């Protein structure tokens, strides 16, 4: 018999194509009549459709969201939010825009409606990573969790293939680590395996045709499921390494996840052979670490930390940082073992 604890994080999810048309009623459902819109970047088309859907509910707009949620940007947006007397927040964009929305909700208690345009999964987690003076601090609280998520598959059609691959692997990483989490449970296991199969099926189809709407829908469903896993169970070595590399060496988020994932899986594989078999079956490959590496390489994704700009001289410090505080992981963490893992990832070697 399996003993487990399961905690769910309540959010309302609207999923489909053209769902932006339901945004107005979703905002009103939360009792809001004047919202701040967080939009911009290369999402001009999606932002215009959101503005149109909001109509008279739109009170102000901010377009300065930045990766890793710098506190200075949050303060600028907070200033506008207060001046505009808004009663809700709507955000359209990737994890960076969602991060700004969460930072504002944490400070004001205002409800949020998120329209995600990448596969990061942040929209369904109660977690926020903020950067102050170059240091990234992560916190979790119920106010951070967005009330409503409107997934509109149409909004993902403009995501370039390179970002589609790396962001898809970001989602894959949440699902993989959920399966060997100390908090793993039957519900999250099913969500994670479903996410892995959808990602493995969708990414090659999108490499052939980035406008394949069914494959886009599969990948967005996977992003929701994988984000739900991230929200529900603790992550391990892979997420710790990516957090360290992103925070201390300013490496890009989704690309770093893409390079590190095959190596983190290979490190943990001897400790959890049963989980490795389930991951390999869901991916439809003979072995999990090599299969993930081959999938990424076949899609033209990044495979080496060197190519992301990681200095070789920083590897020893990264290994120390990633093992300096204990956290649950299926295999014991040693500085030498992690240094070896990072060297493999830096060179881009295929895991055996
Ligand atoms: P991002 O939001 O920074 O987006 C990457 C780039 O893609 C940006 O230039 C953006 O404008 C562009 N873009 C986004 N959607 C697009 C689309 N549909 N078409 C064209 N261009 C588009 O990247 P991300 O990987 O989604 O998010 C990364 C951030 O999210 C990091 O700060 C990370 O820490 C955070 N994150 C947090 C959680 C959490 O639970 N707290 C989970 C995952 C990621």
């Amino acid at each position: 018999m399996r003993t487990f604890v399961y905690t769910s994080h309540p959010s309302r999810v609207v999923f489909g194509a053209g769902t932006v048309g339901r945004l107005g009623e979703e905002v009103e459902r939360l009792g809001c009549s004047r919202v701040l819109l967080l939009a911009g970047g290369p999402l001009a088309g999606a932002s215009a459709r959101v503005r149109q859907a909001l109509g008279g509910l739109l009170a102000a707009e901010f377009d300065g969201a930045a990766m890793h949620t710098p506190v200075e940007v949050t303060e600028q947006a907070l200033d506008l939010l207060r001046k505009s007397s808004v009663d809700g927040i709507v955000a359209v964009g990737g994890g960076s825009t969602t991060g700004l929305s969460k930072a504002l909700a944490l400070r004001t208690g205002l409800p949020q409606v998120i329209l995600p345009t990448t596969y990061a999964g942040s929209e369904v987690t109660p977690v926020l990573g903020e950067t102050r003076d170059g240091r990234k601090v992560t916190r979790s609280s119920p106010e951070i969790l967005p009330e409503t998520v409107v997934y509109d598959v149409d909004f993902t059609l403009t995501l370039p293939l390179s970002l589609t691959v790396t962001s898809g692997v970001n989602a894959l990483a949440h699902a993989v680590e959920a399966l060997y989490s100390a908090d793993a449970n039957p519900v999250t296991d099913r969500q994670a395996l479903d996410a892995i199969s959808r990602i493995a099926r969708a990414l090659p189809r999108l490499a052939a045709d980035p406008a394949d709407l069914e494959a886009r829908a599969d990948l967005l469903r996977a992003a929701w499921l994988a984000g739900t896993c991230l929200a529900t169970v603790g992550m391990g070595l892979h997420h710790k390494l990516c957090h360290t590399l992103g925070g201390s060496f300013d490496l890009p988020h989704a690309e770093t996840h893409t390079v590190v994932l095959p190596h983190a899986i290979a490190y943990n594989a001897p400790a959890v052979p049963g989980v490795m078999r389930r991951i390999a079956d869901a991916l439809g490959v003979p072995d999990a670490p090599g299969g993930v590496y081959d999938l990424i390489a076949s899609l033209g994704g990044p495979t080496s930390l060197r190519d992301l700009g990681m200095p070789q001289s920083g590897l020893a410090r990264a290994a120390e940082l990633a093992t300096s505080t204990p956290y649950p992981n299926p295999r014991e963490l040693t500085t030498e073992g992690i240094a070896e893992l990072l060297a493999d990832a830096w060179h881009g070697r295929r895991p055996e």
Side-chain angles (χ1 to χ4, degrees), residues 129-168:
E130 293 190 289
T131 317
R132 186 188 292 275
D133 303 326
R135 274 197 53 227
K136 192 164 178 179
V137 180
T138 302
R139 62 175 107 181
S140 181
S141 129
E143 287 85 53
I144 293 172
L145 180 72
E147 280 70 6
T148 304
V149 183
V150 177
Y151 287 104
D152 191 331
V153 179
D154 291 346
F155 285 3
T156 60
L157 289 170
T158 52
L159 195 65
L161 182 61
S162 58
L163 272 168
T164 300
V165 171
T166 54
S167 194

Side-chain angles (χ1 to χ4, degrees), residues 41-43 67-68 94-97 102 117-118 120 122 125 127-128 136 155-156 158-160 163 170 174 230 253-254:
L43 285 157
M67 189 153 325
H68 306 307
S96 298
T97 312
K102 288 171 153 186
T117 63
T118 69
S122 175
T125 81
V127 178
L128 166 67
K136 192 164 178 179
F155 285 3
T156 60
T158 52
L159 195 65
L163 272 168
N170 187 190
H174 307 329
L230 174 69
H253 176 82

Side-chain angles (χ1 to χ4, degrees), residues 120-122 125-127 174-175 178 188 225-235 239:
S122 175
T125 81
V127 178
H174 307 329
T188 310
L225 292 167
T228 305
C229 292
L230 174 69
T232 313
V233 300
M235 297 283 122
H239 281 75

